[in-house]
Amino acid sequence: MAIRSILEAPDPRLRTISTAVEAVDDELRALIADMFETMYEAPGIGLAAPQLGELKRVIVLDIDREDVKTGPLFMANPEIVEASDEDATYEEGCLSVPEHYSDVVRPAKVTVRYLDRDGETKELACEGLLATCVQHEIDHLDGILFIDHISSLKRNMILRKLLKARKEKERDEAEGKPAAKLKMTAKEEAAEA
Ligand SMILES: [Zn+2]
């Protein structure tokens, strides 16, 4: 098991459509272990393989809230097979879009079909934060980020800020300055996936 680095937008790998997994084998289970370890360390409540540069249709989730407790959930080749007409709005964040948050509207309930850790086909009815998180992670497998669901004005502002932060970091590293400590904010408690 290893903690891996998480790709950040704008990175072309985050914009790529990932390929379906043929079998849940030991190699894939090793990737799953890395994904869980990386997600818990971040910390986040969900992670998709392409966020680690692995362009495979694999996601992990673990939500531990008062209303939703899932435990560790792994899904290969997840697909939404049912979605409610009713929508829900959640403030979303993403480990690949660090320190930015925005309200996103999605179907309030979805049913997802996937292969579990043993390669068995399963279906899970999701609502609340779990429904949002599953849809957010499946989006990653299609090269979609939560900022694609918000206004282009806000999306471009976030992308510009991410690029600026990256340039500053690269400049500091070139000058041999230690990495600036991330500012602690109340937002760190918000869900990132
Ligand atoms: Zn994300």
Side-chain angles (χ1 to χ4, degrees):
M1 298 225 298
I3 292 167
R4 305 230 214 144
S5 57
I6 297 173
L7 302 182
E8 291 179 6
D11 183 302
R13 285 167 291 179
L14 292 170
R15 292 313 202 170
T16 307
I17 295 178
S18 292
T19 51
V21 164
E22 281 181 22
V24 182
D25 53 16
D26 286 346
E27 192 189 331
L28 189 66
R29 277 185 278 265
L31 170 63
I32 297 165
D34 285 357
M35 287 174 68
F36 274 115
E37 201 174 355
T38 304
M39 178 182 78
Y40 291 132
E41 203 265 343
I45 58 171
L47 190 72
Q51 291 180 277
L52 303 184
E54 300 270 358
L55 300 176
K56 296 182 175 136
R57 299 190 79 83
V58 171
I59 64 174
V60 294
L61 306 148
D62 191 347
I63 300 172
D64 185 5
R65 295 290 164 92
E66 250 170 55
D67 50 338
V68 198
K69 286 195 204 312
T70 63
L73 263 180
F74 157 76
M75 299 181 182
N77 302 342
E79 51 175 328
I80 307 285
V81 292
E82 245 182 84
S84 62
D85 291 332
E86 177 203 345
D87 286 331
T89 305
Y90 268 95
E91 186 179 48
E92 295 189 24
C94 181
L95 296 171
S96 295
V97 188
E99 294 178 74
H100 293 279
Y101 304 86
S102 195
D103 279 348
V104 177
V105 181
R106 300 181 188 270
K109 295 177 186 177
V110 293
T111 301
V112 59
R113 184 182 295 154
Y114 61 95
L115 298 179
D116 72 4
R117 198 180 272 270
D118 301 313
E120 305 276 341
T121 301
K122 292 274 167 69
E123 276 191 15
L124 184 67
C126 308
E127 57 179 70
L129 183 57
L130 177 58
T132 287
C133 194
V134 160
Q135 293 175 81
H136 176 119
E137 300 311 331
I138 292 176
D139 270 357
H140 275 300
L141 307 181
D142 293 317
I144 297 166
L145 300 172
F146 81 90
I147 50 175
D148 298 325
H149 294 284
I150 64 179
S151 75
S152 57
L153 190 74
K154 187 156 188 207
R155 175 167 62 249
N156 291 338
M157 186 197 75
I158 289 174
L159 286 170
R160 273 195 293 271
K161 283 186 177 166
L162 287 171
L163 274 173
K164 188 163 170 250
R166 180 179 302 179
K167 279 195 193 124
E168 281 171 4
K169 194 171 154 222
E170 282 169 358
R171 197 189 53 214
D172 287 352
E173 279 168 4
E175 290 171 1
K177 281 187 202 162
K181 257 217 159 306
L182 284 175
K183 269 179 279 173
M184 295 286 282
T185 68
K187 281 288 183 196
E188 292 202 354
E189 291 300 314
E192 285 187 274

